[in-house]
Amino acid sequence: MTDVSTALGVRLYPDLVELGGLASALALTATRCQTDVGRVSAPERGRGRFTCAELHCDRGTICVGLGSQARYFMIDISGADGCRADGDTTDLDQVVLLAGAWRGGAGLAELRARFPFLDHVREPVGEGTTGV
């Protein structure tokens, strides 16, 4: 077994094993979906280099991880302005479309309406706002 197949589990993520890990799969999916998700990175060492990815843009970072007992993608949005959202989906295309919408300027309310798997959304607390 290769490092990537050991880290990912061939049974749950055979497509990601074939593509070399989550970050590579996200980049290739973004290209296929013709969606700009910003800069994609992964940890340089350890199991995380195959199972974790970060999508970076001026608005903040979207961290993506893998479920270990079932196939799903965990998403955590951390906005530069302090907003936060998280959720999970079984569809990698939806992760890419969410990231593209976020990078394109969609707010959390719009993201939540378009991607109902976002189940925890918190706007930044400040002048004229309240936490959600």
Side-chain angles (χ1 to χ4, degrees):
M1 270 191 153
T2 65
D3 287 347
V4 68
S5 62
T6 300
L8 293 174
V10 177
R11 183 179 59 81
L12 292 177
Y13 301 101
D15 52 333
L16 274 59
V17 170
E18 186 176 312
L19 296 173
L22 179 58
S24 297
L26 283 166
L28 289 169
T29 301
T31 299
R32 181 178 49 75
C33 292
Q34 300 180 344
T35 302
D36 185 355
V37 296
R39 184 172 51 89
V40 180
S41 68
E44 292 185 22
R45 297 179 181 210
R47 184 176 185 270
R49 70 181 190 248
F50 306 118
T51 63
C52 300
E54 290 187 347
L55 309 169
H56 307 271
C57 72
D58 291 343
R59 294 190 69 199
T61 302
I62 298 177
C63 297
V64 183
L66 301 177
S68 60
Q69 302 299 313
R71 182 185 170 98
Y72 63 95
F73 304 96
M74 300 174 288
I75 301 152
D76 183 12
I77 299 172
S78 297
D81 64 356
C83 69
R84 305 245 354 176
D86 62 70
D88 57 68
T89 180
T90 59
D91 187 344
L92 191 59
D93 286 5
Q94 290 294 298
V95 176
V96 164
L97 295 173
L98 169 85
W102 167 254
R103 189 171 196 282
L108 292 181
E110 181 182 345
L111 290 176
R112 190 171 196 181
R114 287 178 58 189
F115 304 97
F117 57 82
L118 282 181
D119 42 16
H120 299 101
V121 175
R122 183 176 58 93
E123 296 286 350
V125 177
E127 286 185 37
T129 65
T130 59
V132 174

